[in-house]
Amino acid sequence: MMPMVTLIGGGMISHDQLLPSLYQLQRLGRIGRIQVCASRYETVAALRRSPTLAEAFPGQTFVGYPETAGDPQPELYVSVLKAMAPGGLAVIAVPDQLHYAVIMAALAAGQHVLAVKPLVLSVAEAEAIELAAHEAGLFVAIEYHKRSDDRSLMARRKYREGRFGEFRLGTACLFEKWYYRHSNFQNWCTKENSDAFSYIGCHYVDLVHFITGLLPTAVSVHGVTDRYPNGNEGYLWTDARVLWSNGACLNVQNGLGFPDEAPGTNTQALTLYCAGETGGALLAHSDQYRGLKYSYLRQPKGAGATAYAEPSPDYFQYVEHNGPGFAPVGYGFRSVEALVNAWIQVAACTTLESRQEAIRALDDRGLIATPANSRFNEQVMEAGRASIQNGGALVQIPAPASNPHRKRVTIAE
């Protein structure tokens, strides 16, 4: 029997990346039945009637929960996970502050876990997840999809070969379009729960470690508040300064405010200035420049769509293939594919000890983010939340503690 996957959460990321990636893997015969569980029937129904998904994956569907309309069922996922045969995969795509409860319920039900970033917002929760997963021999991974971007993999290899010397000073930015404010973000990405740095900037904290092997030592985050259309207040603009274990500094700016009329889906970039014994070096990724310029006869449908567009061929697109519908391409799909392949590899192990050893090998390789090799992300998220709520104060990050059952990956070989 093909392994089962349950996607928990039916929002934007589920529609735009996760569900189509799972459909493609189902099409390729890697996974079996797909379930989608949300708290509201309307969320599941909207996914099922999506014209984009129907056109790309004709004849494919999922089993949805709730099955009928009614009052919201925020804890329905518990019974859905328990009803799965142990050893399946739970894909967690709920608001940041809900990750911990859903992940722990998945582990308690004997399911492996793929969670959208960030894993959780506190170190204690991350440690509890890691311990529970280790004791049960269950795989947990975090979907930092920029790790699957060829730019990132090229930079990682060349940096670790010594071609750039040592990172000293850098900048990063990622601004999502204004229309995000009109989405479900306005109900959960509020001051008390999260902020633009926690939701978006975590990509670049993770990426600098992924490329360089360095660890963050301190963070300060200044937040600028705005109100959503529903009146909720959020830190919708953030400016963060992250210090690293070699004394380097990374400035990260994020926000939900890129103009809807702008031709790209967002703006994003990473620049690292480096130094060697005899000179300087530069690593610059202008990710907002895609090399494509389209001007359509009329404005396409969809939030943020423009008649003049500069679409990204890199993250996620649908293209023709020798089969029905369309196939997803880009590092958004490759990321999910790599994590699902890792889960299948672990799940194929027949003993607790062999699963633990397979997970440890993935931890040590460091290509995919796991609780054991990416604890620094939760440290930065927790410190960042403390900083933004205290006027941008600099918050120190303690050195990682020793781990009795893991070999912690901290720096390049």
Side-chain angles (χ1 to χ4, degrees), residues 73-375:
Q73 301 181 57
E75 296 186 357
L76 177 61
Y77 65 86
V78 176
S79 58
V80 171
L81 289 168
K82 287 182 178 179
M84 290 175 64
L89 182 69
V91 180
I92 312 302
V94 297
D96 296 351
Q97 68 273 17
L98 303 180
H99 283 198
Y100 179 71
V102 182
I103 291 170
M104 293 301 282
L107 295 176
Q111 313 303 337
H112 302 274
V113 171
L114 188 167
V116 297
K117 52 75 194 162
L119 177 65
V120 284
L121 297 175
S122 79
V123 174
E125 289 181 345
E127 290 175 341
I129 289 170
E130 181 182 351
L131 179 60
H134 172 75
E135 291 181 344
L138 294 171
F139 171 68
V140 176
I142 307 99
E143 204 274 313
Y144 281 103
H145 43 254
K146 287 188 177 296
R147 291 187 175 210
S148 293
D149 186 347
D150 290 339
R151 294 174 180 83
S152 305
L153 290 161
M154 290 170 61
R156 173 185 168 94
R157 178 181 176 185
K158 294 180 185 300
Y159 187 97
R160 295 181 181 220
E161 288 174 346
R163 298 194 187 192
F164 294 103
E166 192 171 14
F167 167 49
R168 291 300 189 189
L169 199 65
T171 61
C173 72
L174 201 165
F175 290 86
E176 301 288 7
K177 280 201 167 182
W178 187 274
Y179 74 80
Y180 272 58
R181 298 175 179 223
H182 294 269
S183 71
N184 192 46
F185 276 77
Q186 64 184 318
N187 296 317
W188 71 266
C189 193
T190 52
K191 286 179 67 175
E192 65 274 18
N193 292 323
S194 191
D195 54 80
F197 174 68
S198 295
Y199 179 73
I200 310 172
C202 61
H203 267 308
Y204 287 103
V205 174
D206 182 76
L207 198 53
V208 167
H209 168 81
F210 182 71
I211 292 170
T212 69
L214 297 168
L215 289 172
T217 59
V219 62
S220 62
V221 184
H222 176 71
V224 178
T225 59
D226 259 353
R227 290 196 179 276
Y228 288 102
N230 66 0
N232 287 339
E233 196 171 26
Y235 294 113
L236 302 189
W237 312 86
T238 57
D239 186 286
R241 186 175 72 151
V242 184
L243 305 183
W244 297 82
S245 49
N246 70 337
C249 178
L250 177 75
N251 175 259
V252 186
Q253 292 189 327
N254 303 113
L256 306 183
F258 190 55
D260 285 347
E261 297 77 12
T265 54
N266 55 37
T267 185
Q268 54 179 300
L270 171 68
T271 302
L272 303 182
Y273 295 94
C274 306
E277 292 184 3
T278 59
L282 170 68
L283 191 164
H285 292 175
S286 297
D287 296 339
Q288 77 278 8
Y289 176 70
R290 310 300 183 180
L292 303 182
K293 296 181 179 181
Y294 292 171
S295 187
Y296 306 116
L297 290 174
R298 60 188 63 85
Q299 183 170 322
K301 296 179 180 180
T306 53
Y308 172 76
E310 296 179 3
S312 167
D314 302 318
Y315 167 59
F316 197 97
Q317 291 289 343
Y318 291 105
V319 298
E320 291 182 280
H321 71 128
N322 291 319
F326 299 100
V329 295
Y331 64 81
F333 168 70
R334 293 197 302 271
S335 174
V336 176
E337 180 183 37
L339 298 177
V340 167
N341 286 344
W343 156 56
I344 293 172
Q345 173 189 338
V346 172
C349 299
T350 56
T351 67
L352 172 62
E353 291 75 16
S354 61
R355 291 199 305 274
Q356 290 173 334
E357 183 57 35
I359 293 167
R360 187 176 294 110
L362 293 168
D363 294 338
D364 295 348
R365 185 69 182 91
L367 289 178
I368 63 176
T370 68
N373 68 24
S374 65
R375 179 74 74 253

Side-chain angles (χ1 to χ4, degrees), residues 32-45:
R33 169 167 152 163
I34 297 171
Q35 302 183 148
V36 177
C37 178
S39 61
R40 296 175 181 273
Y41 171 79
E42 292 77 12
T43 301
V44 175

